[in-house]
């Protein structure tokens, strides 16, 4: 099985099971945090057949595999379980100390956010696509909004977002290596009906005479991440210092007794202000730059994706939709990126003389167009040939300009593609499809301009044989 072989080769190239501190996968990348960066053989990783690309971001090593990444990750994880051997504490402490010197605080924060969100992407996909299906069924008259069937389906898929603090807490527990069930309890307290009722009542809330600000944490992200980060230290402290005879029941009790009130009184409100600040920055950029904001950021977005930083920006988009009901910025950028990568790759598929590469390009283009997954295009085609990346920038700017002028908004958090077009329909006004049509027109503009630019700029074709080269102009 090729995925098994790929997992074995990757594990060897990253220094073996003893060197893997954390591993998880997103839509197309296997993400690894090693104990010792010096054991990572980057050249070996890049030369593994089946690896499309490689990104080193902060302490993370992101190995781009493509659509089969989940199968490779499962095989990789089984190898870790089979070959697991404990490092002694001195080795771990020395290695972690050197890591702290290498990784700056911004990278650590972004890695924590992305590392806590990516494992729960299937939940977001299920919730988002489910809401799209329910919305379409309602629009065509099959499922009236007043029916209990509609209401049941809606709350099923909306639960993916309402209970986000719990999902984030559980995912963050894996990232920060703490108890996943204690983390889930912390997340549950933030959306406990009794607490929500207290907040919505408008009465003054206090804990031990300390005022509690009345925030609703449903559908929030950042408060849970920070709370579980704190929990990881508190729980380790009690497990280390409590007498062994009482540790089993006192450690979890004291951890919750410390972390939950701390979250409700300090961490939660502080992070809500941070979240509001991020939203205000995005809206400020949109206001100051006007319709140029999407165009300008679409111009550089392909390079943001190559660093892997787009995942952190996606978190901001999810937060915008959960709080304001729409995202005027991050999802539109992603739409422009996805369609330009698909278009450029399709143009390359038509012009290349390499039949194997042609097949790869066609498959990658369809994946980006339909599902919005662009890593096969980016790392397997456009970035590899370099020049098509400039065509994507031109196309993204053109489509982004139209999207900015018409004020395109996303109303459901999904990866933009043809399959997810309902994300551009306002659930509160399903009879008005202006926003959807503007999104489609922006896609067409971006696709056409990118295709023409790719054709005109040209690229150095992948040789059919190693000794052959061909320049397409």
């Amino acid at each position: 099985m090729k995925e098994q072989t790929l997992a074995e080769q990757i594990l060897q190239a990253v220094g073996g099971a003893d060197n893997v501190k954390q591993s998880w996968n997103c839509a197309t990348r296997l993400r690894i945090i090693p104990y010792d960066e010096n054991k990572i053989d980057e050249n070996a990783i890049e030369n593994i057949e089946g690896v499309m690309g490689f990104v080193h971001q902060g302490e993370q090593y992101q190995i781009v595999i493509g659509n089969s990444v989940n199968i490779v990750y499962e095989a990789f994880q089984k190898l870790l379980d089979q070959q697991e051997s404990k490092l002694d504490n001195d080795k771990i402490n020395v290695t972690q100390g050197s890591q702290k010197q290498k990784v700056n605080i911004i990278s650590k924060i972004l890695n924590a956010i992305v590392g806590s969100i990516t494992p729960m992407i299937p939940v977001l996909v299920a919730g988002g696509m489910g809401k799209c299906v329910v919305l379409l069924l309602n629009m065509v008259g099959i499922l009236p909004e007043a029916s209990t069937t509609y209401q049941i389906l809606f709350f099923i898929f909306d639960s993916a977002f309402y209970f986000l603090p719990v999902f984030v807490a559980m995912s963050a527990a894996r990232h920060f290596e703490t108890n996943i069930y204690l983390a889930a309890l912390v997340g549950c307290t933030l959306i406990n009906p009794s607490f929500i009722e207290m907040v919505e009542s408008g009465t003054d809330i206090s804990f031990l005479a300390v005022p509690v600000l009345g925030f609703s944490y449903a559908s929030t992200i950042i408060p849970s991440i920070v709370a579980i980060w704190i929990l990881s230290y508190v729980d380790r402290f009690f497990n280390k210092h409590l007498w062994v005879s009482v540790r089993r029941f006192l450690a979890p009790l004291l951890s919750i007794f410390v972390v939950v009130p701390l979250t409700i009184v300090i961490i939660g409100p502080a992070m809500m202000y941070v979240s509001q600040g991020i939203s205000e920055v995005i809206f400020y950029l949109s206001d100051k730059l006007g319709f140029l904001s999407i165009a300008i950021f679409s111009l550089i977005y392909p390079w943001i994706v190559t660093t892997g930083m787009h995942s952190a920006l996606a978190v901001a988009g999810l937060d915008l939709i959960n709080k304001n009901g729409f995202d005027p910025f991050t999802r539109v950028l992603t739409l422009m990126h996805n369609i330009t990568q698909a278009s450029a790759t399709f143009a390359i598929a038509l012009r290349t003389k390499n039949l194997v590469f042609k097949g790869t390009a066609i498959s990658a283009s369809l994946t980006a167009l339909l599902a919005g997954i662009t890593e096969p295009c980016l790392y397997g085609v456009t970035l590899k040939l370099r020049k098509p990346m400039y065509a994507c920038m031109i196309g993204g700017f053109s489509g982004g300009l139209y999207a900015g002028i018409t004020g395109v908004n996303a109303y459901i958090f999904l990866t933009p593609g043809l399959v997810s077009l309902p994300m551009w329909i306002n659930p509160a006004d399903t009879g008005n499809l202006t926003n959807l049509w503007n999104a489609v027109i922006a896609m067409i503009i971006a696709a056409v301009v990118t295709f023409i630019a790719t054709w005109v700029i040209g690229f150095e074709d992948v040789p059919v044989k190693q000794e052959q080269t061909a320049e397409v102009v």
Side-chain angles (χ1 to χ4, degrees):
M1 187 176 181
K2 64 178 182 180
E3 287 83 6
Q4 178 69 29
T5 303
L6 184 55
E8 292 172 355
Q9 292 174 338
I10 291 173
L11 184 60
Q12 182 179 358
V14 299
D18 288 352
N19 196 41
V20 179
K21 180 181 179 183
Q22 279 183 279
S23 65
W24 69 97
N25 70 287
C26 57
T28 56
R29 305 183 189 198
L30 174 63
R31 296 171 182 252
I32 294 170
I33 296 179
Y35 283 111
D36 187 354
E37 292 186 353
N38 295 322
K39 292 183 178 180
I40 302 289
D41 190 340
E42 297 186 10
N43 289 330
I45 294 173
E46 291 176 340
N47 290 322
I48 295 175
E49 184 179 355
V51 171
M52 296 180 178
F54 176 74
V55 179
H56 181 194
Q57 177 194 337
E59 61 183 349
Q60 270 190 44
Y61 286 80
Q62 303 173 13
I63 303 168
V64 184
I65 295 171
N67 296 333
S68 62
V69 66
N70 59 323
I71 303 175
V72 175
Y73 170 72
E74 289 175 5
F76 186 82
Q77 203 59 40
K78 285 181 181 178
L79 289 172
L80 289 182
D81 294 339
Q82 293 169 2
Q83 302 177 28
E84 185 180 35
S85 61
K86 300 294 183 181
L87 296 172
D88 58 82
N89 290 332
D90 292 338
K91 183 177 180 182
I92 293 176
N93 291 334
V94 169
T95 305
Q96 289 179 334
S98 64
Q99 287 277 359
K100 289 179 181 178
Q101 294 176 354
K102 294 179 182 179
V103 182
N104 62 56
I105 187 65
I106 300 299
S107 293
K108 290 185 76 69
I109 291 172
L110 292 176
N111 286 341
I113 293 174
V114 174
S116 299
I117 296 299
T118 49
M120 47 168 284
I121 284 178
V123 173
L124 298 177
V125 170
M129 289 302 298
K131 291 176 80 171
C132 281
V133 171
V134 172
L135 181 63
L136 285 175
L137 291 175
N138 174 252
M139 287 179 62
V140 298
I142 296 177
L143 201 60
E145 192 170 341
S147 69
T148 54
T149 302
Y150 174 91
Q151 295 168 17
I152 290 173
L153 287 174
F154 185 84
F155 82 66
I156 287 174
F157 296 115
D158 190 56
S159 295
F161 302 96
Y162 182 85
F163 293 100
L164 208 53
V166 181
F167 297 125
V168 172
M170 295 173 69
S171 184
R174 290 179 57 189
H175 182 82
F176 295 117
E177 299 180 335
T178 192
N179 188 287
I180 190 171
Y181 301 104
L182 285 180
L185 178 56
V186 174
C188 287
T189 60
L190 295 178
I191 54 174
N192 187 290
S194 297
F195 178 64
I196 292 176
E197 185 178 342
M198 292 170 66
V199 170
E200 292 178 347
S201 68
T203 58
D204 292 336
I205 309 172
S206 63
F207 180 79
L208 298 178
V210 179
V212 176
L213 297 179
F215 283 106
S216 173
Y217 296 102
S219 303
T220 59
I221 301 169
I222 300 178
S224 288
I225 295 177
V226 178
I228 304 311
W229 174 60
I230 299 294
L231 174 67
S232 68
Y233 285 98
V234 172
D235 189 47
R236 277 196 291 268
F237 174 84
F238 286 129
N239 275 293
K240 181 178 180 181
H241 294 287
L242 285 176
W243 187 29
V244 66
S245 298
V246 298
R247 181 185 302 162
R248 183 179 181 86
F249 62 89
L250 268 187
L253 172 64
L254 293 176
S255 296
I256 293 299
F257 193 84
V258 169
V259 173
V260 173
L262 186 64
T263 300
I264 293 173
V265 175
I266 298 175
I267 298 173
M271 292 304 101
M272 290 299 286
Y273 284 124
V274 169
S275 179
Q276 290 175 2
I278 293 172
S279 299
E280 289 175 4
V281 167
I282 290 176
F283 282 115
Y284 175 83
L285 289 173
S286 298
D287 290 340
K288 290 299 179 182
L289 295 175
F291 61 84
L292 287 174
S293 59
I294 299 297
I296 292 172
F297 279 92
S298 293
L299 192 69
I300 62 174
Y301 196 74
W303 303 104
I304 295 177
V305 176
T306 62
T307 68
M309 300 295 288
H310 63 297
S311 298
L313 191 59
V315 174
L318 176 59
D319 201 39
L320 282 170
I321 291 175
N322 288 337
K323 288 194 308 182
N324 303 302
F326 67 97
D327 174 9
F329 194 73
T330 71
R331 296 296 84 197
V332 185
L333 291 183
T334 309
L335 174 66
M336 293 300 97
H337 172 72
N338 294 353
I339 196 64
T340 55
Q341 288 291 325
S343 180
T345 303
F346 182 65
I348 292 165
L350 294 181
R351 298 208 65 178
T352 181
K353 294 180 174 62
N354 187 319
L355 295 181
V356 174
F357 187 56
K358 184 187 291 288
T360 299
I362 292 174
S363 173
S365 178
L366 289 174
T367 300
L369 180 64
L370 297 173
I373 297 174
T374 60
E375 271 84 350
C377 288
L378 183 66
Y379 292 98
V381 183
T382 56
L383 187 62
K384 182 177 182 179
L385 300 178
R386 206 69 173 185
K387 286 183 180 180
M389 287 289 284
Y390 304 128
C392 291
M393 294 171 67
I394 296 169
F397 180 89
S398 304
L401 192 61
Y402 179 84
I405 292 172
T406 56
V408 174
N409 294 317
Y411 294 96
I412 298 174
F413 184 84
L414 283 171
T415 300
L418 290 184
V419 174
S420 57
L421 279 178
M423 68 185 287
W424 307 102
I425 300 173
N426 186 351
D429 188 12
T430 55
N432 185 357
L433 301 181
T434 302
N435 187 76
L436 171 63
W437 286 118
N438 283 332
V440 171
I441 293 171
M443 289 175 62
I444 294 172
I445 293 172
V448 171
V449 172
T450 302
F451 186 92
I452 294 172
T454 304
W455 204 273
V456 172
I457 294 173
F459 56 92
E460 185 176 346
D461 200 2
V462 176
V464 178
K465 294 182 180 179
Q466 196 65 35
E467 68 273 9
Q468 293 177 337
T469 58
E471 179 73 13
V472 180
V473 294

